[in-house]
Amino acid sequence: DAIHMVWRRRRHNPRRWRRNALAAGHALLATSVILSLATATMVISGIETNRFIGILTPLGLILALLCNLTLLPAISSWRRR
């Protein structure tokens, strides 16, 4: 999902992370929610390993979304200094 943020930053004004994050945030949110819901269906599986994957994968995707929206802009602006 970080590709949406990086592409938006390079294509538009690189110094406006907040505006770029809001514009790319819809794509980030949509892909994260769709993938989380799709893998969460594995929770109803009869196989224990698949149930764990169905729980942990959506948690990882939501954590990645939060990192993309918070840490990626911070790290990028810190790196430019």
Side-chain angles (χ1 to χ4, degrees):
D1 280 342
I3 191 70
H4 296 293
M5 295 281 288
V6 173
W7 179 83
R8 181 90 181 163
R9 179 178 173 264
R10 287 188 182 183
R11 178 107 195 253
H12 300 289
N13 190 352
R15 296 177 190 257
R16 310 283 315 262
W17 266 109
R18 183 180 176 131
R19 189 185 73 192
N20 292 340
L22 289 174
H26 297 294
L28 289 169
L29 184 63
T31 56
S32 295
V33 167
I34 290 169
L35 289 172
S36 293
L37 290 175
T39 56
T41 59
M42 295 175 70
V43 171
I44 60 174
S45 173
I47 303 169
E48 187 178 1
T49 305
N50 286 350
R51 278 186 266 156
F52 285 128
I53 291 172
I55 294 169
L56 294 177
T57 303
L59 291 175
L61 288 169
I62 299 302
L63 181 63
L65 173 67
L66 293 174
C67 289
N68 279 333
L69 293 176
T70 57
L71 293 178
L72 185 63
I75 291 170
S76 180
S77 65
W78 176 72
R79 188 173 169 221
R80 297 183 91 198
R81 291 180 183 178

